[in-house]
Amino acid sequence: MTRLDRLKPLDWTVHPPYLHEPYRSTVSRSPRQRLVPLPQTLSELTGPVYGDGDVEPLDSDLTRNAVRNGEPIGERIIVVGRVLDDDGRPIPNALVEIWQANAAGRYIHKNEVHDAPLDPNFTGAGRCLTNAQGEYRFVTIRPGAYPWGNHDNAWRPAHIHLSIFGRNFLQRLVTQMYFPGDPLLPLDPIYNGVPEEARQRLISQYAHDVTEPAWALGFRFDVVLRGSQATPFESEGGS
Amino acid sequence: MPRQTPSQTIGPFFSFSLVAGGENVLIDERSSGERILVEGRVLDGAGEPIADALVEIWQADSNGIFKHLADPRHEDADPFFAGFGRSATDEDGRYWFRTIKPGPVPTEDGQQQAPHINVTVFARGMPIQAITRIYFADETANERDPVLASIADPQRQQTLIARREQSADGIARYCLDIVLQGEHETVFFDA
Ligand SMILES: [Fe+3]
């Protein structure tokens, strides 16, 4: 069979370790044995393939995809970004799924206990595919901070959860996007589990070119997945 | 060069976005191959079931073919087999998939890997996913599988091998718990 294009290793200088004691649930849920090296075979270098039939246009507009009797409450925002690999190549047809709390910091979930109102017109769930340039775009409501039980007076900074499928099983990434200037960030053990020099890349940037007049603020958040071990051909980066 | 985006935990509240229902059934009546049920629990270091984990699987079809361009045989892949599935664990920490038994998967140097399922585990309390594999106890090819052979401790090898049980409806059931930590910790991989 033809030679497989292998991926660079996971960069453990940016990813959080399994065990980060200030995030208490990691204590009993972190593997402790050394990871076993796994060759990158056909099983790892393939993965689910998505196409236009898998998403509806409305899926990426969270201000409209759950409307029952009016508009969702809160500050409308537009979140855009690109899905790339760490060679700088865009990844088209990447499935991006998101979920988030509403403006009051409340999720729709049976285990949610936060005493904040649900929004009848907002579920906080969306999905889209990246286009040929690797770009995605969501319209949503700026999520609220919410309390959690990790420690006394613990609050999660406002965030949007993202789940991304790249080209194969090994590029799979689940992460969270935060907002610039959030005073809760330095107090959050989930954010702080990431090595310090890499934390910044979890924070979206305010993007005035994305902001739409008299309608919604724009934020930009690029997502970078593991790239190829082989040096990309120069022609691939050409115009 | 841009650097990789750090992983963050999936948290406890993913299901209303990621799990509409039915994502853990990879087959319909047209899929070819032996229909099987794969199930087990996800357990923490104290042996407690994890009720808010998400288990994703990716596997070849019954002929060992992936529906993906990297597989030179992809045009022959079963069009009625999904290959990918996802199961949120229930209150008892249980995941399950209705799928088919995958065929052996070739390696680049012309060897064969024993039939297996690639598995990704996400959960609250896991800042990054863990990846593992499920093999099948009744496959003699396990003895020659290069990945299993790379695990020196035979007891640790066993953490990847699902035992076969017959279910009431005649469909083979393969059972394997995924243990995140402790004496019976599952082998997790770095690929
Ligand atoms: Fe959250």
Side-chain angles (χ1 to χ4, degrees):
Chain A
M1 61 180 287
T2 48
R3 211 177 141 272
L4 291 166
D5 186 12
R6 295 204 158 70
L7 296 193
K8 272 180 278 204
L10 265 183
D11 184 354
W12 285 103
T13 69
V14 309
H15 292 294
Y18 288 111
L19 177 63
H20 179 65
E21 282 178 30
Y23 176 17
R24 284 193 351 221
S25 314
T26 67
V27 173
S28 63
R29 295 182 170 195
S30 46
R32 299 299 172 93
Q33 303 272 351
R34 189 189 292 270
L35 299 180
V36 173
L38 178 69
Q40 297 181 7
T41 76
L42 202 48
S43 306
E44 288 72 36
L45 295 169
T46 52
V49 176
Y50 295 96
D52 291 334
D54 295 312
V55 293
E56 302 286 335
L58 204 57
D59 289 349
S60 62
D61 187 344
L62 287 72
T63 66
R64 288 161 61 210
N65 70 9
V67 162
R68 291 208 303 220
N69 56 11
E71 294 214 40
I73 301 293
E75 182 185 338
R76 269 190 300 265
I77 59 171
I78 301 162
V79 179
V80 303
R82 288 206 298 162
V83 179
L84 313 163
D85 65 23
D86 62 8
D87 303 310
R89 293 186 298 185
I91 302 182
N93 286 325
L95 178 67
V96 182
E97 297 165 285
I98 66 170
W99 65 103
Q100 60 165 90
N102 68 20
R106 175 83 189 253
Y107 281 96
I108 294 184
H109 192 282
K110 61 183 192 312
N111 295 337
E112 165 70 286
V113 293
H114 180 30
D115 180 22
L118 283 168
D119 185 329
N121 296 302
F122 188 76
T123 56
R127 54 193 352 232
C128 73
L129 284 183
T130 56
N131 65 15
Q133 287 75 45
E135 296 163 335
Y136 71 86
R137 182 178 191 271
F138 289 99
V139 178
T140 184
I141 295 290
R142 187 174 176 133
Y146 61 85
W148 60 311
N150 189 72
H151 55 274
D152 186 40
N153 205 12
W155 290 77
R156 293 299 328 282
H159 60 275
I160 296 176
H161 295 267
L162 294 96
S163 156
I164 297 116
F165 289 87
R167 300 188 182 97
N168 55 48
F169 178 79
L170 294 180
Q171 282 186 327
R172 187 87 178 84
L173 178 73
V174 170
T175 189
Q176 300 180 28
M177 176 200 113
Y178 301 95
F179 291 87
D182 192 325
L184 293 170
L185 281 168
L187 305 174
D188 180 40
I190 293 180
Y191 173 73
N192 285 332
V194 170
E196 192 173 359
E197 9 7 304
R199 284 176 206 158
Q200 197 64 33
R201 67 192 69 236
L202 292 175
I203 302 176
S204 58
Q205 287 178 310
Y206 171 67
H208 200 61
D209 58 321
V210 177
T211 294
E212 295 199 8
W215 194 67
L217 294 186
F219 291 87
R220 182 170 278 117
F221 184 68
D222 288 342
V223 176
V224 181
L225 309 179
R226 299 166 66 174
S228 160
Q229 236 175 48
T231 319
F233 293 109
E234 270 180 40
S235 58
E236 284 182 304
S239 55
Chain B
M1 290 293 191
R3 295 186 63 200
Q4 292 165 23
T5 299
S7 171
Q8 292 274 268
T9 181
I10 199 165
F13 300 132
F14 56 84
S15 52
F16 71 95
S17 177
L18 302 188
V19 189
E23 294 86 356
N24 56 346
V25 177
L26 287 73
I27 50 174
D28 65 23
E29 58 285 352
R30 299 164 297 178
S31 315
S32 56
E34 182 191 0
R35 283 156 169 67
I36 61 173
L37 178 67
V38 177
E39 65 169 344
R41 289 173 307 160
V42 182
L43 303 169
D44 72 11
E48 294 295 323
I50 295 182
D52 52 10
L54 182 71
V55 179
E56 290 182 346
I57 63 169
W58 171 246
Q59 64 164 96
D61 70 11
S62 59
N63 293 313
I65 301 175
F66 294 96
K67 204 189 294 173
H68 185 283
L69 281 175
D71 190 332
R73 309 160 300 165
H74 67 269
E75 284 180 6
D76 299 323
D78 181 353
F80 304 113
F81 178 63
F84 175 77
R86 144 195 285 180
S87 173
T89 54
D90 66 16
E91 301 80 55
D92 303 318
R94 192 165 295 279
Y95 70 88
W96 61 268
F97 294 95
R98 285 202 181 277
T99 181
I100 52 98
K101 185 103 163 273
V105 173
T107 63
E108 269 177 292
D109 56 6
Q111 294 183 301
Q112 295 225 306
Q113 303 186 66
H116 62 273
I117 295 175
N118 271 19
V119 179
T120 309
V121 186
F122 300 94
R124 174 177 63 82
M126 297 183 78
I128 184 167
Q129 70 259 40
I131 61 172
T132 183
R133 282 184 169 193
I134 295 173
Y135 286 86
F136 303 93
D138 54 337
E139 288 285 338
T140 52
N142 290 344
E143 292 157 29
R144 298 179 301 279
D145 182 79
V147 172
L148 285 175
S150 74
I151 303 163
D153 180 348
Q155 258 181 322
R156 298 216 72 212
Q157 271 187 28
Q158 288 302 314
T159 67
L160 303 184
I161 299 177
R163 64 176 192 278
R164 183 181 170 115
E165 289 175 8
Q166 212 65 36
S167 71
D169 56 6
I171 288 175
R173 239 174 86 208
Y174 287 93
C175 303
L176 187 67
D177 289 343
I178 298 168
V179 184
L180 294 188
Q181 189 190 93
E183 197 188 344
H184 304 289
E185 184 176 312
T186 295
V187 167
F188 296 107
F189 293 108
D190 183 14

